[in-house]
Structures are given as structure tokens and as C-alpha cells.
Amino acid sequence: QVYKGLDIITNKVSPQEQHLCRHHMISFVDPLVSNYTVVDFRDKAMALISFQAAACLAKQIRIDAPHSQACERAQYIFARDKIPIIVGGTNYYIESLLWKVLINTKEKTSTAPGPVADRKVELEQLDSVELHRRLSQVDPEMAAKLHPHDKRKVARSLQVFEETGIPHSEILHQQQEEEGGGPLGGPLKYPHSCILWLHADQAALDQRLEKRVDDMLAAGLLEELRDFHRRYNQEKVAENRQDYQHGIFQSIGFKEFHEYLISEGNCSPETSALLLQKGIQALKQVTKRYARRQNKWVRNRFLRRPGPNVPPVYGLEVSDLLRWEEDVLKPALEIVESFIQGREPAAQPVKMEYDVNENKRSHRVCELCDRVIIGDREWAGRIR
């Protein structure tokens, strides 16, 4: 009953859930494709959701259309009068669907496995100082907003300029100045959206995450890692070209077991057991750290996001799983039902105060430490 009439776009799903309703975007990118980005995700997900695609198909595809066209039509969620549910996962990816915040540069020529030139990755090979110097020359405004050591963001801004000929800062200004735009980006794409935020006490969450790692190990995580290492990673390690910063290998779970996987069979059983335990503890720690970052993202980007273009965020308390029906399931269904019917739900959205004058990209130098500090809040913390 919960799943009936829904389409799920997610990267986390069990086989049991897939039998209950249709899931999209699972196991569709080859593991060796390293240049699949949030832009690719956004484009594919929005094509599945798209009002425009649904309207176009409604006009062009007849009821007696050939089987291939009927199958194509079945891909589009709104064309089938279904409701898309976006499940995360990574809140940055969800944000890319909610707001106009990403920038398209040149179109990719291929998503086939194998090496494909990625200008951002090439730029990241440069020294941080040189990278920031280059950005300062072509986009001084953006350079002032980014920390000199944040190679990923600096490289991305340089890539935007090189591939569009327009400074990154200028494109962001254009987005913010569109109707419905705000300080953090462009307008909301889907005005009738709501966010359900499942959160728990930190102690309960940490305990649950540790148990999840134990359950994953019991379900065969190590064999899956060994198989993936043999098929995709062993040759890269041997040739000293392993990259845990891009593609699927940056996912939680691979690098934590790197030492164990490359030494298995080449060291004593005692050493192997120690490396295994080291990997398990590292996986638990990084999983808990990632969960904290996810919650911080919701607070800072969804709840403290200035401007009028923010969907309501409804908090659902999941600390006590024995109260799942009354604390999570029933209120969630009531909230969604209210949105479908166009009425205000009984539940109140979460509200957090924010300072409309706060500058998240202010640039200051702490002379005592000789460090660059980006953001008013970070600077206040430094002063304290």
C-alpha cells in the first residue's frame, strides 16, 4: 500500500523493494566509467520525470503504437500518471533536481568504459597554488570565494571557463537573477515538492550504522569486494594507477579495505586478520562521519537556505524503530496525501533560523595562523 502508484529514483534499494514498485537508475553505469557526474545523473533523472517529455509523448504516441514506442513511453513517470519519489543517498544529487544550480559545459562524447579525457581531472593534477593562480587570472571573483587548497572546486571553476568561455561567477549570477532565484542558486524546478527528512538521535544512529556494517559483512560484503577487486581494480593497482578520488572507487567501502585486498594471500593469516579488522573499523567510522555530513547538508542547504524557493522539510523521528508506524509511516503518508490533494498537512515543517546577511564565501586571512578562512561562520569560529 505504501509503494502503490509510486516510481522510485534511487541508488539504494533491496531486491524485495524492487518487487513492490518500479525503481529507476540502478546498475546502469559500467563500473569503469570514471567521468559520470551529477550533471549526468540530473539529466537522466529529469528525463524520466519530465513534464515536457510526458506532454510530448502524449501527443506523439498512439495507443496502438509499436511495442518499442510503448516501452519508451513507459519510461516517463508523469506520462503514466505516477508520482516520482527521489530517494537518497547523496543530498547534493537531490539538490541538483530541486534547483537550477548546475552548469552544463561541453557535451560528453561517450559513456563507454575506458579512458575518456576529463578536463577537471586533468586540472586536479596541477599544484594547488598554480591552479588557484590560473583561476585568479580568468575569474578573480570566483577565486576569492574558493579556498586555494580546495582543488576540486577550483578545478571545476577553471573547467567551466575553459569549456564555456564564460567566467563561472558570471554564470552563477545569471542563475541567481532568474525569477525565483536566490543567493545559493537558480529557481526551484518543481514548485510542488516536499522533503521528508528521516533523522535520529546521534547515539541511536551510530549504533544502527555499526550494525549495518556488521549485517553487510554477514551478507557477503567481503566476497563482493574481492570479486570487484579481481575484475576491476587489481590491474590498476599493479600498474600504480589506482584512483580513489574519482568514479566508483571513491565510494565508501573500497579504499577502506585496500590494504587487506592487496595483501590477502601475500601475508600471514595474523596480519591479514589485523588488516581486515582495520578495514571494518575504518568502514564504520567513515560511514558515521558521512551520515553526519548528510545531516549537516540538510540543515545548511535545505533548512538554512535563504530565499523563498525552498520546499517544506518535514522531520520524521526514527530513533525508536518500535515506533516506526506512529512516528514515521503514518505521518509520512498523511503529508504526501495532503500534497496530492492540495491541502496543508497537519504536520508542521522544520524551521531553522538563518542570517540573510551571512556570506558563505567571504574571504579572510588569519594572520596569526597564515591561513585563508572562507565564510562568515568559519571566521566567527576562528575568532572564538
Side-chain angles (χ1 to χ4, degrees):
Q1 288 178 333
V2 175
Y3 280 116
K4 187 178 180 181
L6 304 178
D7 269 59
I8 312 295
I9 296 176
T10 181
N11 61 351
K12 298 180 183 232
V13 61
S14 68
Q16 293 82 4
E17 289 171 319
Q18 291 190 60
H19 290 304
L20 294 173
C21 70
R22 182 168 186 172
H23 289 69
H24 300 266
M25 299 180 71
I26 300 169
S27 300
F28 70 101
V29 180
D30 188 283
L32 294 186
V33 172
S34 62
N35 62 331
Y36 190 87
T37 69
V38 65
V39 174
D40 298 303
F41 167 83
R42 179 206 62 188
D43 292 346
K44 184 170 178 64
M46 286 188 66
L48 290 168
I49 298 167
S50 177
F51 287 104
Q52 187 177 0
C56 179
L57 285 165
K59 292 179 182 177
Q60 294 181 0
I61 299 180
R62 305 186 313 276
I63 294 175
D64 60 343
H67 177 71
S68 60
Q69 281 188 293
C71 287
E72 183 182 358
R73 182 174 189 237
Q75 288 292 319
Y76 295 99
I77 296 170
F78 281 128
R80 293 183 286 113
D81 294 323
K82 302 293 184 181
I83 300 169
I85 307 294
I86 315 300
V87 180
T90 306
N91 293 315
Y92 177 47
Y93 278 54
I94 294 177
E95 185 172 316
S96 75
L97 298 180
L98 286 172
W99 290 279
K100 185 177 179 180
V101 291
L102 298 180
I103 297 169
N104 288 330
T105 54
K106 65 181 180 183
E107 291 197 11
K108 291 182 180 172
T109 55
S110 172
T111 55
V116 177
D118 186 324
R119 183 55 181 157
K120 179 172 172 286
V121 175
E122 293 174 353
L123 288 167
E124 286 176 14
Q125 307 307 310
L126 296 173
D127 176 78
S128 296
V129 175
E130 171 63 16
L131 203 58
H132 197 262
R133 185 190 67 79
R134 290 191 186 187
L135 183 60
S136 299
Q137 291 177 337
V138 298
D139 192 351
E141 181 182 345
M142 204 66 199
K145 292 179 178 180
L146 298 178
H147 197 286
H149 294 159
D150 193 342
K151 292 182 76 170
R152 284 197 171 207
K153 288 183 179 178
V154 174
R156 173 57 179 163
S157 288
L158 262 178
Q159 179 196 23
V160 168
F161 175 77
E162 289 185 2
E163 296 181 355
T164 67
I166 305 171
H168 193 178
S169 58
E170 184 177 329
I171 297 176
L172 294 179
H173 285 311
Q174 292 171 1
Q175 286 184 348
Q176 293 162 5
E177 290 167 2
E178 290 184 34
E179 184 179 356
L184 294 180
L188 194 64
K189 296 177 193 168
Y190 303 100
H192 303 295
S193 304
C194 73
I195 298 172
L196 303 178
W197 178 30
L198 278 65
H199 59 86
D201 293 335
Q202 196 62 57
L205 180 59
D206 286 346
Q207 185 178 20
R208 198 172 298 161
L209 291 173
E210 291 215 4
K211 183 180 183 303
R212 191 177 89 171
V213 171
D214 293 334
D215 291 344
M216 289 164 63
L217 288 162
L221 174 64
L222 286 182
E223 188 50 48
E224 183 180 332
L225 285 170
R226 289 189 189 101
D227 178 62
F228 200 89
H229 180 69
R230 284 193 297 267
R231 291 166 61 191
Y232 298 111
N233 204 29
Q234 203 164 30
E235 185 178 337
K236 288 189 172 189
V237 172
E239 296 175 359
N240 197 29
R241 55 185 180 91
Q242 171 51 261
D243 179 9
Y244 285 113
Q245 302 302 317
H246 300 94
I248 197 170
F249 296 101
Q250 66 185 310
S251 303
I252 292 174
F254 291 123
K255 51 185 172 293
E256 287 74 25
F257 288 93
H258 176 77
E259 289 185 79
Y260 170 73
L261 291 169
I262 63 172
S263 64
E264 192 176 24
N266 299 317
C267 62
S268 67
E270 294 78 13
T271 300
S272 185
L274 286 173
L275 291 174
L276 174 59
Q277 286 304 312
K278 181 181 176 182
I280 293 172
Q281 291 308 311
L283 179 56
K284 289 180 176 181
Q285 288 301 318
V286 76
T287 300
K288 289 186 286 188
R289 192 158 57 241
Y290 183 62
R292 284 174 169 80
R293 287 206 306 272
Q294 287 180 315
N295 283 327
K296 185 178 179 183
W297 186 287
V298 172
R299 294 187 183 95
N300 290 339
R301 302 287 290 187
F302 294 166
L303 295 174
R304 294 195 179 104
R305 189 185 184 105
N309 61 340
V310 183
V313 178
Y314 295 93
L316 300 170
E317 174 65 50
V318 295
S319 297
D320 186 355
L321 294 182
L322 296 177
R323 292 180 55 86
W324 175 266
E325 291 270 342
E326 53 203 296
D327 289 350
V328 184
L329 182 56
K330 289 180 181 178
L333 291 176
E334 201 279 326
I335 291 165
V336 173
E337 195 69 36
S338 298
F339 268 79
I340 292 172
Q341 296 174 359
R343 58 179 173 85
E344 288 292 322
Q348 293 296 310
V350 181
K351 297 290 184 183
M352 282 192 179
E353 293 184 3
Y354 62 85
D355 182 0
V356 293
N357 297 314
E358 179 186 349
N359 186 347
K360 296 179 180 292
R361 290 296 177 190
S362 61
H363 182 284
R364 298 181 180 90
V365 177
C366 179
E367 295 180 358
L368 289 173
C369 310
D370 191 26
R371 288 184 62 180
V372 174
I373 309 298
I374 303 295
D376 290 353
R377 194 178 307 173
E378 286 72 13
W379 178 252
R382 170 69 51 168
I383 294 300
R384 284 197 298 272

